[in-house]
Amino acid sequence: MSIRKKIADSEAVLNWAARRIAGYIRMVNRNTNWQRIGYEELDQLAEQGEPVIVVLWHQRLAQSPYFFPLDKGRICSITSAARAGSMVGRVQQLFGMDTIAMSSHKRHVALSREVLGKIKQGVSIGIAADGPRGPERISSTVPLIWARTSGKRIFGITYSAKHGREAGTWDRLLMPRPWRNEGVFICREWTDPVPRKADEEQIEVLRQSLEQHMNDITAEADRMVGREPWAPEV
């Protein structure tokens, strides 16, 4: 193993990097004048110990530790087992979130069993619907399958910030400026019912509906802070 790979895989180095990233996220949150819109229902459910499924776009991960009311309930984030996803999990754990790593070696049945076990314990589930590798803004069916099996409600959550830049990554990750900024969090339930016996055609229609819901609330957040809403690359 090369020295470079040893350093990249070092627990000490990974933990140091996670603390630095968490520090940036906290600085953004502390130095931004935030609006928090639409959280009343989710806050109430969290206080009652009623788990939900939280969906976000991968592009808006940079403030995900503040998406869910952690002072009122628990949430488990689904991350990738790859290096970047593992770092996301480390960072989120520093904020008190549970995490489950998805990997190519873990069968979908095993992952779903683990997720449903968390839900039965009263833990909400958070997932980037277009993660871990995209394509950007194309929702997977995973949140729908879990909603169909568990009967739990789905809430779309997003944020935007007036000052920031998009990284040159596949998801165009939004990196807010960590000083004198303005931002907004939007939480809105996706209310389409997911039948317990929904077939593949129905699931595809629902998938497109959830995708549109996430794009709509994210565009709304962007417009509120004066950002140009996302558009697919041509």
Side-chain angles (χ1 to χ4, degrees):
M1 182 185 294
S2 68
I3 293 177
R4 183 176 178 180
K5 193 171 190 308
K6 284 182 179 180
I7 293 173
D9 291 337
S10 163
E11 283 294 310
V13 171
L14 292 170
N15 288 332
W16 174 84
R19 288 193 297 271
R20 291 293 297 271
I21 295 170
Y24 159 76
I25 293 171
R26 290 190 176 101
M27 189 181 301
V28 169
N29 193 264
R30 184 171 59 248
N31 295 327
T32 300
N33 181 24
W34 293 102
Q35 294 184 68
R36 193 169 179 267
I37 297 171
Y39 272 86
E40 296 80 7
E41 187 72 14
L42 180 60
D43 286 347
Q44 185 176 12
L45 292 171
E47 285 182 332
Q48 295 170 350
E50 178 61 36
V52 301
I53 297 169
V54 170
V55 174
L56 61 147
W57 282 142
H58 209 274
Q59 188 195 35
R60 305 300 162 112
L61 272 172
Q63 285 295 300
S64 61
Y66 294 101
F67 276 13
F68 188 83
L70 291 169
D71 58 330
K72 298 177 173 64
R74 292 171 59 199
I75 188 168
C76 179
S77 173
I78 309 303
T79 65
S80 168
R83 185 171 287 134
S86 174
M87 181 57 66
V88 171
R90 287 174 187 269
V91 171
Q92 291 178 335
Q93 286 172 358
L94 291 173
F95 286 86
M97 300 171 69
D98 298 345
T99 61
I100 295 175
M102 297 171 60
S103 75
S104 57
H105 305 296
K106 184 181 290 187
R107 293 171 58 86
H108 288 299
V109 173
L111 174 64
S112 293
R113 187 180 297 118
E114 201 169 349
V115 166
L116 294 172
K118 287 285 187 181
I119 291 174
K120 287 181 180 179
Q121 295 169 24
V123 180
S124 292
I125 299 296
I127 184 170
D130 56 346
R133 290 181 293 273
E136 66 172 329
R137 303 288 186 105
I138 301 297
S139 178
S140 72
T141 61
V142 171
L144 302 172
I145 302 304
W146 292 341
R148 180 178 65 181
T149 305
S150 68
K152 299 305 177 185
R153 296 156 70 176
I154 293 179
F155 285 80
I157 300 184
T158 193
Y159 90 96
S160 190
K162 183 174 183 178
H163 302 291
R165 63 181 181 84
E166 293 181 356
T169 50
W170 68 263
D171 58 353
R172 294 188 258 181
L173 182 68
L174 177 61
M175 305 291 291
R177 189 177 75 183
W179 68 89
R180 289 188 296 179
N181 213 339
E182 298 176 20
V184 59
F185 290 101
I186 294 181
C187 172
R188 188 163 299 147
E189 184 176 5
W190 176 72
T191 56
D192 289 17
V194 183
R196 291 297 295 266
K197 295 184 179 181
D199 58 27
E200 289 186 9
E201 185 175 336
Q202 289 174 301
I203 289 292
E204 174 57 20
V205 171
L206 292 168
R207 186 199 66 77
Q208 293 179 26
S209 172
L210 177 60
E211 187 176 289
Q212 188 62 53
H213 176 79
M214 294 305 303
N215 281 334
D216 287 346
I217 64 172
T218 305
E220 181 180 341
D222 284 339
R223 284 191 291 267
M224 288 184 68
V225 297
R227 294 189 70 86
E228 185 71 24
W230 173 91
E233 290 185 336
V234 179

